[in-house]
Amino acid sequence: MVNLLKIAFYCGFLSCGLAVLRHTKLQLLLYIYPAAFCTAFVFSFINNAGYSFVAGLAGGFTAAVIIGISHRLGRHGYLFIVIPVIYCIGPGGSLYKLFLAMFNCQWSVMVRQRLSVIKVAVGIWWGILAGTATMNKITGKKSEEF
């Protein structure tokens, strides 16, 4: 549990740092950090159980709902904030292993990692779409169009 909290803590700072590099206004970091923290916690908890697609789905859904709340209150734009929040749950580890296997000609590892990258990426995508649709239905307000 402590390890999950550390991962979420660091992912929140990573997302804020990457948002600053994208020239995000500093007051928006108040919305990015908590959303990234919660998203990373949910994603890591499920991903550690071995369910990468479900982890991506839950992480994307969490990000869309948490960001959707403050967006619909008029605090910030939608996509500009969702993107830094999901940086920390992207399939970076699988991409690293995929390219390492490619360079070392380990084809079976490459296929396994490619599938992992696809599962996480599609899970995040579907999670964001589901979270956005849920928030649109609950609040009656639409988010920015994709």
Side-chain angles (χ1 to χ4, degrees):
M1 183 65 156
V2 171
N3 197 28
L4 286 175
L5 289 172
K6 284 194 319 190
I7 289 170
F9 180 76
Y10 293 134
C11 286
F13 281 116
L14 171 70
S15 293
C16 286
L18 292 170
V20 168
L21 290 176
R22 292 183 68 219
H23 307 291
T24 303
K25 295 177 184 172
L26 293 179
Q27 67 263 25
L28 294 180
L29 298 180
L30 295 172
Y31 303 106
I32 292 173
Y33 185 85
F37 180 90
C38 295
T39 300
F41 185 84
V42 168
F43 178 83
S44 296
F45 181 76
I46 297 171
N47 197 37
N48 285 343
Y51 303 106
S52 57
F53 174 74
V54 177
L57 193 65
F61 185 84
T62 303
V65 168
I66 292 174
I67 290 300
I69 292 169
S70 54
H71 165 67
R72 283 165 182 82
L73 292 173
R75 306 281 193 258
H76 54 73
Y78 189 68
L79 288 178
F80 189 75
I81 303 298
V82 168
I83 292 169
V85 168
I86 62 170
Y87 278 149
C88 57
I89 64 170
S94 297
L95 281 171
Y96 166 76
K97 293 173 189 171
L98 171 74
F99 283 107
L100 186 63
M102 237 169 42
F103 294 139
N104 293 327
C105 298
Q106 297 172 333
W107 306 118
S108 62
V109 174
M110 191 178 82
V111 169
R112 207 171 39 245
Q113 294 306 320
R114 186 185 67 200
L115 291 174
S116 178
V117 167
I118 291 169
K119 286 193 291 187
V120 171
V122 169
I124 292 169
W125 172 41
W126 285 2
I128 289 174
L129 290 177
T132 304
T134 302
M135 290 301 296
N136 287 346
K137 187 171 278 191
I138 290 172
T139 62
K141 294 182 182 178
K142 285 205 171 257
S143 69
E144 296 173 3
E145 294 296 322
F146 292 109

